[in-house]
Amino acid sequence: MLSQELTECLGAQDKQWLFSKLPEVKDVSERFLQDLEHRLEEDILRFDVCDIVLEHCPALRRVYLPYVTNQAYQEQTYQRLLHENPRFPSILARLEEDPICQRLPLTSFLILPFQRITRLKMLVENILKRTTPGSRDEDTATKAFNELKKIIKECNCSVQSMKRMEELIHLNKKIHFEGKIFPLISQSRWLVKHGELLEVDTQTMSISGSKLKLPTKPVYLHLFNDCLLLSRRKDTWKFMVFVHAKIGELKVKDLSQKLHGISGFIFHLQLCEGQQLKHQILLKSHTESGKQRWITAMFPSDPLEDIEQASENVDIPQVQCIKSYQAQEHDELTLEKADILHAKTITSDGWVEGIRLSDGERGWFPKTYVEEITSRSARLRNLRENIRIKCVTQKLEGED
């Protein structure tokens, strides 16, 4: 950031988007580290960190919230500079060759602040699990854990809100309605899932030997939190909507096990308007997980009921993350190593729908990133620890 050569290569706005409030983040991080070092020097045998974390939470929130919110612009700016600014890649490559960078690229340093605060939350959570119940240490650790959770939630909500609105503005240019006015952009609307499935044409089916042949044609789905749009592609990036319906007026039936002689993973979707059937369609996915993910997205179960059932039943499968996973689609869940999750659904093609114990967040992820917790006693211990943390948290929130 302090490189004169790089500063001359960048405009003022690009530099602001690329580095954001990095100096403030650095200052707050250094003061936090200094306080930890002083505590360690005072008493190496009783090294407590949670009160220091709690004391620094307001400063962490002040710098992390704007920094993390800017990360979408940061990534876009970085990619644009790589492709459009001829001097940027070579200057950056020379700077990254400096031994102080330890062969790491600029992007790995830019993302560190948010990674650091999520790891700090995991650290405090593990300390909390090991404190004596009812002790002063437990009280401090719980308060620090709650504050860190709030900061991360605020950061996630801020980023999510900004991304959702940008996505709607982008989609509004690509989605067209046949002779109807449909105001797509709304503060209360967001995209839940989108993708292409195959529409099975039952009107022109034929029989070849012992097999039933059903022609298919592609149909594109945009599922929002309040409505579903079905469209055909006009070209690569444009869609013509032929029918839409509110979320509460959809009906679905899984037919994969019921249609003999028809290969693929099929479900029947009905779009209604009030009590009247507006449109019905047979949809086919190439995989079991593809079908299940669409049905789950359209008809999500009650998250509170799911968490309650999972928290009370030790026989519900649990999995632990063995390597971190970054969500690629809207209905996926980003995982950190050591996350414990309830496995709600496991498909034959290797996908898991899980609910994370620590925060109740839910989504899909590949099975290869987790391993099953086969020990019943380990599953019971995970449930007890989760319930204990929640109880202490609720007690402290009640006191506040």
Side-chain angles (χ1 to χ4, degrees), residues 7 12 35-36 79 82 107 127 135 168 219 231 238 292 305 365 387:
T7 299
D35 283 355
L36 289 173
Q79 292 299 331
L82 278 181
T107 49
I127 291 172
S135 66
L168 279 180
V219 58
S231 59
K238 288 192 177 176
Q292 289 291 355
E305 280 183 18
F365 47 87
I387 290 166

Side-chain angles (χ1 to χ4, degrees), residues 57-70:
C57 274
L60 292 171
R61 182 191 176 281
R62 178 173 51 81
V63 296
Y64 276 98
L65 192 54
Y67 183 82
V68 173
T69 305
N70 180 68

